[in-house]
Amino acid sequence: MCGIVGAIAEKNIVPVLLDGLFSLEYRGYDSAGLVITSNGLQRLRTAGRVAELEKKVAEQKTNGFAGIAHTRWATHGEPSERNAHPHLSSRESKIAVVHNGIIENHEIMRKRLQNEGFQFDSDTDTEVIAHLIAFNLRKSDSLLKAVSQSISELQGAYAIAVIEESHPERIVVARNGAPLLLGLGEDGNYAASDASALLKTTRNMVYLEDGDIAELYKDHYAVYECKNGILGPEINRPVHQSDLTSDAIDLGPYDHFMQKEIFEQPGAVANTLEMVLNAQAISPGLFGSAAEKIFSQTKGLLILACGTSYHAGLVARYWLETIAGLPCTVEIASEYRYRNPIADAHTLVVGISQSGETADTLAAMSYAKTLGHLHNLAICNVAESALIRQTDLRFLTRAGPEIGVASTKAFTTQLASLLLLTTVLAKMRNKLPPEKEASVIAALRHLPAALQSTLQIEPEVQEWSQRFSEKRHALFLGRGVHYPIAMEGALKLKEISYIHAEAYASGELKHGPLALVDKEMPVVAIAPNDQLLSKLKSNLQEVHARGGELYVFADADTQIEESDQIHVIRLAEHAGILSPILHTIPLQLLAYHVALVKGTDVDKPRNLAKAVTVE
Ligand code: M6R
């Protein structure tokens, strides 16, 4: 959470900083700020969005050749101008710092620095970094060494950028547990939390590793390893050509990123499945060169994830058990990491994450390793993410950048990937005869088209949105593999429309939640034409008999009668194994349209951020 940009060039870098912050706003958007070296350190900060900062920059005609900037998701200290980054230390050498992450020993460091006479102007952990660097600068002959010394005294995960008033010709950046990359331009050098922030300026990126510290000048840069405060030798990190296009992060004809990302799903799934769509068979190599060996020893799966990615894991459990005959446990990462679970060496640990940066998922994956799980696999949308780097096997969902805080295309591409994983494991366990494998491949091949036709129901869903927007609560019901889809629908609705929504396995209704049902509580039901339909229908009757109003998403061939209190939207086709993927679409559309009616900030819902990099 929080986005960082740094720039040093032969031109005015303020537009680069602002563009970068706009791209990084998905990481946090409660306050923003920048420091420019121009006749000393000029700092501008605002509570609220980057657009507010942009106004201030325009009013003050701020410009300069070097600067650092930040968009914040508050952890320590309320969102306010006073707590917005950059933070300064002005006692001796004047320096400015922007920071993404959390400094865990900030309280103790704050006391120590206060005893040394440093005065704190904010409630943030970041200000500790600024004063600590200033303190260490007294004993060092360079900012680089002072930063190296300081980070050895800090505990936690962070990425920082630092600039010094008396040496405006350089920026120092460091990374430990939070993403940071360098962008190498023709007229200058840059740093940012992710590549999207720099795409308009350069495509040449250097991904820093944990423990790296780098110095940027307008015409050169150097990366060093830093261990225990000792600055190591200069190291060579490869330069990558980013293949992201700026289209991928532009809104194009859409009003919101969430809308764009919902409608991108056919293409996102097609990209994710590209290697499979032309194949006659699915091979373990899709998950990495060691996959065949590891999968042949796999006796079960443990899936670790958060939020929407956790829901994808819950769907996969049904597939893995039913199709591959493998036991599967799915755990919320933040819970797993603090339990004492019994590990089995040959239970493959699967981390699912759009960002690959979610702190709880990363920690849970590492914890599983320490408990004795031998192998792990990442299903992730970000190639250079921490999750991808720390796992033995990996499958990259190729959804393209997901900017809207509410996850949409990441979810459906995760599901497509998990179905592939299931298919590979089933095949290796002789649970999938060739004709069945061929039918799964055929279904996957058809998936982009099926998603496209499912999106056509948007106008019907939109018609329901006004009625939902007037409600304060909603219940989502599903059974079997569609129960996690109900959970995902409820999460989408609450996240962006702020309507309280709960999901229940519909068989659970009479064990409690039925007491809530009245005409003020819309009940959304996912009703595919599967073997649980008759059970689900009985559950829906229980709702109907108590005056509840039902909103049913059914398959084309689901027999459900409509009435005043039972509204039905039918999906274009009956999708069989892919049904959970298709049934996700109307729920995303419902949440989106209800949020539009309510006038909430669809892409940046209150209190949330896209990548949850703190615990
Ligand atoms: O990047 P990740 O997939 O690890 O993120 C996990 C959750 O934070 C994320 O899915 C969150 O629940 C979304 N905002 C839901 O729309």
Side-chain angles (χ1 to χ4, degrees):
M1 308 170 106
C2 302
I4 291 179
V5 196
I8 184 156
E10 279 171 10
K11 61 181 183 192
N12 172 23
I13 46 70
V14 172
V16 178
L17 295 181
L18 285 174
D19 268 352
L21 289 188
F22 277 116
S23 307
L24 293 177
E25 251 191 325
Y26 73 90
R27 303 179 63 87
Y29 37 82
D30 59 42
S31 52
L34 51 77
V35 152
I36 302 299
T37 55
S38 167
N39 297 324
L41 296 185
Q42 308 297 326
R43 178 169 68 169
L44 292 184
R45 297 183 296 172
T46 52
R49 302 286 165 89
V50 175
E52 297 303 313
L53 182 69
E54 189 184 35
K55 279 188 213 149
K56 228 175 186 174
V57 163
E59 275 159 26
Q60 309 207 4
K61 300 191 173 55
T62 309
N63 63 71
F65 296 106
I68 55 177
H70 188 265
T71 176
R72 178 170 187 246
W73 188 85
T75 56
H76 298 74
E78 56 168 15
S80 63
E81 185 173 329
R82 179 174 159 270
N83 287 328
H85 300 207
H87 289 285
L88 301 181
S89 186
S90 317
R91 222 180 85 184
E92 283 143 44
S93 6
K94 193 166 180 179
I95 60 157
V97 173
V98 289
H99 161 226
N100 166 29
I102 285 190
I103 303 303
E104 286 166 8
N105 57 342
H106 72 100
E107 279 169 342
I108 208 163
M109 297 302 285
R110 181 181 274 253
K111 285 202 185 98
R112 198 184 118 193
L113 289 158
Q114 280 168 334
N115 290 339
E116 293 290 342
F118 287 90
Q119 196 189 318
F120 281 75
D121 297 324
S122 77
D123 307 317
T124 63
D125 51 345
T126 306
E127 199 179 347
V128 160
I129 311 176
H131 293 313
L132 184 61
I133 295 171
F135 177 67
N136 284 323
L137 206 46
R138 287 179 188 169
K139 302 169 276 177
S140 304
D141 55 7
S142 79
L143 182 63
L144 191 67
K145 286 188 192 152
V147 173
S148 315
Q149 173 58 37
S150 303
I151 57 183
S152 73
E153 297 173 51
L154 298 173
Q155 287 160 14
Y158 50 79
I160 58 172
V162 189
I163 199 160
E164 188 185 7
E165 186 172 68
S166 55
H167 287 281
E169 73 287 358
R170 71 166 171 231
I171 297 173
V172 173
V173 299
R175 169 194 163 131
N176 185 30
L180 193 64
L181 53 83
L182 309 183
L184 313 179
E186 279 174 9
D187 50 5
N189 289 313
Y190 306 86
S193 300
D194 83 30
S196 69
L198 300 178
L199 277 186
K200 288 188 183 154
T201 308
T202 178
R203 310 180 75 80
N204 298 326
M205 311 286 175
V206 174
Y207 292 92
L208 298 182
E209 302 276 342
D210 284 343
D212 284 359
I213 178 165
E215 250 183 339
L216 301 182
Y217 294 83
K218 68 177 183 202
D219 49 6
H220 66 283
Y221 73 98
V223 183
Y224 304 88
E225 237 170 12
C226 176
K227 278 201 187 115
N228 308 324
I230 314 283
L231 195 62
E234 188 175 338
I235 44 174
N236 197 8
R237 294 270 175 244
V239 180
H240 294 266
Q241 276 274 321
S242 173
D243 54 10
L244 269 184
T245 61
S246 49
D247 288 359
I249 52 164
D250 281 346
L251 259 183
Y254 296 95
D255 295 325
H256 299 99
F257 281 106
M258 183 182 182
Q259 182 194 24
K260 178 180 185 233
E261 287 154 11
I262 289 174
F263 282 88
E264 278 175 347
Q265 288 178 105
V269 166
N271 283 341
T272 300
L273 297 176
E274 198 184 14
M275 273 101 75
V276 178
L277 296 186
N278 297 321
Q280 298 310 312
I282 300 174
S283 77
L286 291 169
F287 295 86
S289 52
E292 185 155 12
K293 185 157 175 246
I294 293 174
F295 288 170
S296 67
Q297 298 163 1
T298 296
K299 304 232 166 6
L301 289 96
L302 165 65
I303 298 182
L304 301 171
C306 302
T308 289
S309 300
Y310 167 68
H311 297 156
L314 291 176
V315 172
R317 180 175 65 186
Y318 288 86
W319 287 335
L320 286 158
E321 288 171 352
T322 313
I323 304 170
L326 278 165
C328 175
T329 319
V330 189
E331 291 234 26
I332 294 173
S334 56
E335 285 296 309
Y336 176 84
R337 63 184 287 195
Y338 293 113
R339 290 199 303 110
N340 293 312
I342 312 303
D344 173 82
H346 294 294
T347 293
L348 177 69
V349 183
V350 181
I352 309 175
S353 174
Q354 186 286 129
S355 61
E357 263 190 59
T358 302
D360 284 320
T361 305
L362 293 173
M365 294 293 286
S366 308
Y367 181 48
K369 199 129 233 187
T370 64
L371 291 179
H373 288 275
L374 284 179
H375 299 296
N376 56 18
L377 158 71
I379 294 190
C380 183
N381 197 38
V382 180
E384 294 296 333
S385 63
L387 184 64
I388 288 280
R389 287 159 193 237
Q390 76 175 47
T391 47
D392 310 320
L393 303 178
R394 51 200 71 104
F395 187 91
L396 208 58
T397 51
R398 292 163 67 197
E402 192 183 64
I403 312 277
V405 165
S407 193
T408 52
K409 60 179 180 171
F411 181 65
T412 42
T413 54
Q414 285 166 353
L415 290 180
S417 317
L418 287 160
L419 187 55
L420 274 186
L421 175 66
T422 306
T423 311
V424 168
L425 289 166
K427 200 171 141 183
M428 290 184 70
R429 294 167 54 76
N430 296 323
K431 301 270 179 193
L432 198 72
E435 64 283 3
K436 277 210 172 146
E437 183 184 5
S439 85
V440 175
I441 294 177
L444 287 172
R445 233 175 244 154
H446 180 57
L447 183 56
L451 284 165
Q452 194 66 53
S453 58
T454 306
L455 285 164
Q456 308 304 315
I457 61 171
E458 184 182 28
E460 292 173 70
V461 178
Q462 192 173 358
E463 271 185 32
W464 286 1
S465 55
Q466 180 67 43
R467 272 178 275 169
F468 273 80
S469 68
E470 291 154 8
K471 306 293 181 192
R472 299 195 54 209
H473 309 274
L475 209 54
F476 283 68
L477 302 178
R479 285 202 83 136
V481 70
H482 294 87
Y483 168 42
I485 300 302
M487 296 168 81
E488 176 57 9
L491 176 60
K492 287 290 88 90
L493 188 70
K494 71 183 116 183
E495 192 175 17
I496 58 166
S497 75
Y498 315 149
I499 292 173
H500 169 230
E502 292 286 341
Y504 272 91
S506 44
E508 271 292 288
L509 256 190
K510 51 184 159 309
H511 299 288
L514 203 50
L516 293 169
V517 169
D518 63 13
K519 61 181 179 17
E520 290 309 315
M521 169 79 90
V523 178
V524 179
I526 299 149
N529 190 7
D530 62 11
Q531 74 279 15
L532 289 173
L533 180 63
S534 58
K535 309 267 178 218
L536 178 84
K537 278 177 161 176
S538 312
N539 304 140
L540 300 189
Q541 281 309 320
E542 292 158 11
V543 173
H544 187 50
R546 283 150 187 92
E549 191 154 7
L550 281 156
Y551 294 83
V552 182
F553 291 108
D555 281 341
D557 53 359
T558 303
Q559 300 294 316
I560 288 192
E561 291 297 316
E562 290 190 54
S563 71
D564 280 357
Q565 296 299 306
I566 306 182
H567 315 282
V568 183
I569 292 179
R570 287 173 204 282
L571 272 59
E573 43 191 308
H574 178 183
I577 195 174
L578 301 176
S579 175
I581 306 183
L582 295 193
H583 272 275
T584 303
I585 304 296
L587 303 178
Q588 296 171 342
L589 289 168
L590 181 67
Y592 175 68
H593 282 288
V594 174
L596 284 193
V597 177
K598 291 198 74 179
T600 58
D601 190 338
V602 172
D603 287 334
K604 300 187 186 84
R606 68 185 178 202
N607 306 336
L608 300 181
K610 182 71 183 160
V612 185
T613 56
V614 294
E615 228 190 303

